[in-house]
Amino acid sequence: MDEKAIRAARGPFAGQAGNLDAPYWQTPAELVGRMLDLAALSPEDRLIDLGCGDGRVVLAAARRGARALGIDLDPQRIAEAEAAARLAGLERLASFRCEDLFETPLAEASVVTLYLLPHVNRLLRERLRRELPAGARVVGHAWPMPDWPPIREEEVDRRRLYLWAVPSA
Ligand SMILES: C[S@@+](CC[C@H](N)C(=O)[O-])C[C@H]1O[C@@H](n2cnc3c(N)ncnc32)[C@H](O)[C@@H]1O
């Protein structure tokens, strides 16, 4: 099945905005921290969370001093994330855009985080490898990436986390 056919078969997920490629599930707070630890996130990093939900990964990255961008197609999620950033006084480092994650330019990111679905990981894989700079890290919650072995994998509270590194061309 090609990308168009796979994406045409997606959602809608109950009670959520249409045309989503993955439902809204939240990464538990302790796992968010572990994802950033796995990426060895530093204030020099630029993180993008593709499918950011309520912005928890982006806000956690901003709390560590990194610039971070959250992308979500559901306007309600973006409104919640922006409100949380304002409340936490993190607007300088944390920003959000309501857009399709398949349209998001990735070249500026040094860290990308994902909690989507296995087939979405597969659709993103080539773009991640092509557009991200060599050495960029990709951290995934829950799902592997077909045909891209992680450099590290761990289980936390019965949930799996994966770390991939973008190879040099
Ligand atoms: C499983 S949630 C992950 C939320 C957050 N990253 C976390 O770890 O808590 C997936 C998110 O992806 C968003 N999403 C699904 N398809 C999308 C698309 N094509 N473009 C942008 N966001 C999308 C959903 O609205 C949802 O908020």
Side-chain angles (χ1 to χ4, degrees):
M1 226 193 308
D2 64 11
E3 178 176 340
K4 223 169 141 190
I6 293 169
R7 296 199 71 208
R10 67 191 169 173
F13 294 96
Q16 299 178 26
N19 297 324
L20 294 175
D21 290 275
Y24 176 44
W25 296 320
Q26 299 166 335
T27 299
E30 57 280 13
L31 255 81
V32 170
R34 192 60 209 140
M35 287 172 78
L36 301 183
D37 291 344
L38 258 185
L41 187 87
S42 81
E44 284 71 49
D45 280 310
R46 175 85 164 97
L47 176 143
I48 299 182
D49 187 26
L50 292 175
C52 65
D54 64 1
R56 58 188 55 209
V57 177
V58 169
L59 296 174
R63 277 190 200 99
R64 293 189 186 196
R67 279 191 304 139
L69 170 67
I71 301 295
D72 209 289
L73 201 48
D74 186 336
Q76 191 185 331
R77 298 283 93 81
I78 293 296
E80 289 165 2
E82 285 177 337
R86 271 196 303 278
L87 197 65
L90 290 169
E91 305 105 303
R92 197 179 58 80
L93 290 173
S95 55
F96 298 93
R97 284 207 308 259
C98 191
E99 71 182 21
D100 187 343
L101 60 87
F102 285 96
E103 308 292 331
T104 303
L106 301 175
E108 303 277 299
S110 54
V111 175
V112 170
T113 49
L114 308 171
Y115 179 23
L116 296 163
L117 286 173
H119 74 278
V120 184
N121 280 7
R122 178 154 69 81
L123 292 173
L124 282 172
R125 183 192 58 208
E126 284 322 304
R127 278 196 56 222
L128 291 165
R129 291 166 62 100
R130 192 177 58 242
E131 292 184 29
L132 289 171
R137 290 90 74 210
V138 178
V139 179
H141 172 188
W143 313 112
M145 189 87 68
D147 302 323
W148 189 7
I151 58 168
R152 199 152 160 199
E153 186 177 339
E154 58 182 52
E155 194 171 295
V156 182
D157 294 337
R158 288 188 287 165
R159 292 168 181 256
R160 292 208 84 74
L161 298 179
Y162 301 87
L163 171 67
W164 296 273
V166 177
S168 29

